[in-house]
Amino acid sequence: MERLRYTNLDNLRKQKNLWIAWRHVLGTGRSASVEIRNALGKFKQDDFSNISRINRELGADKFDFGAARGAPIKRPGKKPRPIVIPRTEARIVQRALLNELQSVPALAPYFRNPNSFGGIVDRDREAAIREVQRELDNGAKYFVRSDIQEFFTRIPRPQALAALAAPLDSRAAELLERATHLELDNADKLRDLLTLFPTPAIGVAQGLCLSPLMGNVVLHAFDEALNGRGIRCIRFVDDFILLGGSEKTVMKAFDSAQRMLAELQMSAYDPRTNTDKAECGPPSRAIDFLGCLVERGRVQPNARARGKILEKAKSTLAASVSEFSDPARAYAKGLTVSRTLYNLGNTLRGWRDSYDFCHAPDVFRGIDKEVDKLVRLYVARFSVAFSRAAKDEARLLLGVPILATNPSESESAGTDPSAVLA
């Protein structure tokens, strides 16, 4: 049996590889929630000693992934999405482990599957959408677009772990098991929502970089079976699209996909009975796939994606406005004008970067106009609040401390991401 090229995790724990993983985690966190950015900022303030500590703990087999936080995200018309937020140290080691697994020849089929995208280096959303466009250019006449219901909580973790651990040495396999084991530090607060999160036997944590890989493992046979005989199946984690030459052949392939998913205790939304979650038809109009409207020669963010970014901008500014009447409280909560505008800028840049492959200048100009209105209204409300605030507190709204009485903003509201992530 082939083994990993390192012994006793020596390659994984090399500081060079931990730094590569840390830079990736830091980069993906720039457009994440304030909670994640604050955690990354705190780690970055002393990242040299923190990386050295992780290196020592891995070498001594004393690294503890710790408990993660469960964060159910509300979704209109659906159950909340059970997102898991690991500790920064855990995210770094999980990423380093994922990077190492990609170099194991025996695991190559899970990383170099031409029909699988998402959670794999150089096989991102843009690459998946380009493949869809290629099939459209090649003459696809019918499609089915769907996604697998509650995918991450349905993945048989033991089955995925067994496949991934087969070529690993015992210590690497044990680290992989611990890296994917879910323990929540707020389980008691989740109450009824706790049932949404995976168990040790069924499901993997959504929010861990290793989880899409485990999904790729259990769906590898699915990908192979659904490609060929005039059918192309392009899958991005739990979203997939079938394209072919006729309605009959594509729908037959979709029914076959449902049977294979049923063997894994999974199912996909059927476009014939659930038009809100899936769609099918000739590609004479844009296909709504992965947050984009995809057609020959054009890709643009879909209406839901556009609406979400504007709603996020609105809520970010509104949270700050709600504290304008109490400058000290706004300062303590990190809802000052300077921090709010920085956070808004981060959010907008992250959203724009995620759609940088789209050629839709009219869409982006439209969003800019709406953001302009929101920012102008925000500044106007700030001006009124600033003029009404007590002179010895007004500057707190801007994020400027009062040296005689106020701690730094980072002390009162968590590490300031603008200071460490800029």
Side-chain angles (χ1 to χ4, degrees):
M1 178 69 69
E2 180 183 0
R3 296 290 170 183
L4 272 178
R5 67 172 184 264
Y6 58 84
T7 303
N8 296 332
L9 308 179
D10 287 340
N11 203 53
L12 169 67
R13 64 181 285 266
K14 285 180 179 177
Q15 294 216 20
K16 178 186 73 173
N17 293 329
L18 292 174
W19 276 101
I20 290 173
W22 162 231
R23 284 193 291 269
H24 180 91
V25 169
L26 184 62
T28 57
R30 294 185 189 279
S31 59
S33 67
V34 173
E35 174 189 356
I36 292 176
R37 292 204 306 272
N38 284 347
L40 295 176
K42 184 176 181 181
F43 186 93
K44 191 176 188 299
Q45 287 178 329
D46 198 14
D47 53 4
F48 281 95
S49 61
N50 286 331
I51 293 295
S52 295
R53 172 173 51 81
I54 294 174
N55 167 268
R56 292 192 303 273
E57 291 175 353
L58 285 170
D61 283 339
K62 292 183 178 179
F63 181 80
D64 182 8
F65 286 92
R69 191 176 75 83
I73 305 299
K74 293 181 179 179
R75 298 184 292 173
K78 291 184 178 182
K79 296 179 182 178
R81 188 187 303 278
I83 297 297
V84 172
I85 303 175
R87 296 166 55 237
T88 299
E89 291 87 343
R91 294 180 66 194
I92 292 170
V93 176
Q94 288 159 352
R95 184 70 210 186
L97 182 54
L98 178 61
N99 291 345
E100 272 305 299
L101 293 175
Q102 293 184 66
S103 67
V104 182
L107 301 181
Y110 307 127
F111 291 103
R112 295 174 177 81
N113 180 343
N115 307 300
S116 173
F117 300 81
I120 305 173
V121 175
D122 298 326
R123 299 187 68 75
D124 56 10
R125 178 174 60 165
E126 177 182 359
I129 287 174
R130 296 300 180 217
E131 282 297 301
V132 173
Q133 286 188 303
R134 184 173 291 110
E135 292 302 317
L136 295 177
D137 289 341
N138 288 339
K141 293 181 171 56
Y142 202 85
F143 76 93
V144 169
R145 187 267 304 164
S146 185
D147 70 272
I148 302 170
Q149 303 179 47
E150 302 175 1
F151 176 61
F152 287 98
T153 57
R154 298 286 184 177
I155 293 173
R157 178 171 169 266
Q159 176 183 332
L161 278 176
L164 291 172
L168 309 186
D169 63 35
S170 59
R171 294 184 69 204
E174 192 270 337
L175 183 71
L176 177 62
E177 197 285 330
R178 290 194 292 116
T180 58
H181 175 76
L182 178 62
E183 180 182 347
L184 299 176
D185 61 10
N186 62 332
D188 57 330
K189 297 179 181 179
L190 292 171
R191 298 180 181 176
D192 293 343
L193 295 177
L194 184 60
T195 59
L196 298 175
F197 290 84
T199 68
I202 297 294
V204 297
Q206 190 168 355
L208 268 63
C209 65
L210 289 161
S211 294
L213 169 60
M214 300 178 82
N216 289 344
V217 170
V218 299
L219 289 182
H220 186 66
F222 174 93
D223 295 331
E224 288 191 325
L226 288 175
N227 280 278
R229 298 184 298 279
I231 292 292
R232 181 73 193 279
C233 177
I234 298 166
R235 181 177 60 81
F236 186 93
V237 190
D238 55 338
D239 292 277
F240 66 94
I241 183 168
L242 295 164
L243 300 113
S246 70
E247 176 180 358
K248 180 179 180 180
T249 57
V250 173
M251 294 311 302
K252 183 178 179 181
F254 178 76
D255 290 336
S256 177
Q258 288 284 50
R259 290 191 293 271
M260 284 184 281
L261 290 173
E263 294 177 1
L264 294 168
Q265 307 300 310
M266 299 178 184
S267 65
Y269 293 106
D270 192 324
R272 294 164 292 196
T273 57
N274 198 328
T275 56
D276 290 339
K277 305 293 195 309
E279 64 175 326
C280 62
S284 54
R285 53 183 171 76
I287 300 172
D288 196 334
F289 186 54
L290 303 180
C292 294
L293 296 176
V294 185
E295 51 192 323
R296 292 183 179 91
R298 180 175 169 86
V299 181
Q300 60 180 310
N302 66 13
R304 184 169 178 268
R306 300 195 296 267
K308 283 181 68 176
I309 188 58
L310 288 174
E311 186 57 39
K312 179 62 176 177
K314 187 183 298 184
S315 64
T316 297
L317 297 174
S320 177
V321 170
S322 70
E323 301 296 344
F324 277 173
S325 61
D326 190 336
R329 188 169 62 195
Y331 185 88
K333 287 186 174 182
L335 294 173
T336 61
V337 171
S338 58
R339 183 180 289 208
T340 296
L341 292 179
Y342 175 82
N343 288 342
L344 176 61
N346 249 1
T347 298
L348 293 172
R349 280 189 294 272
W351 187 87
R352 181 62 179 86
D353 288 347
S354 71
Y355 288 97
D356 63 357
F357 58 90
C358 292
H359 303 293
D362 52 331
V363 171
F364 297 122
R365 282 194 292 267
I367 292 173
D368 282 335
K369 288 181 181 179
E370 295 302 316
V371 173
D372 283 346
K373 294 177 186 177
L374 294 173
V375 172
R376 288 180 183 277
L377 179 59
Y378 176 74
V379 171
R381 288 176 172 172
F382 159 73
S383 296
V384 173
F386 188 78
S387 65
R388 292 177 177 175
K391 290 184 178 180
D392 61 345
E393 285 193 331
R395 78 191 202 199
L396 291 175
L397 288 175
L398 287 165
V400 180
I402 299 172
L403 301 182
T405 59
N406 291 110
S408 68
E409 189 178 0
S410 62
E411 291 175 7
S412 58
T415 303
D416 184 357
S418 66
V420 292
L421 298 185

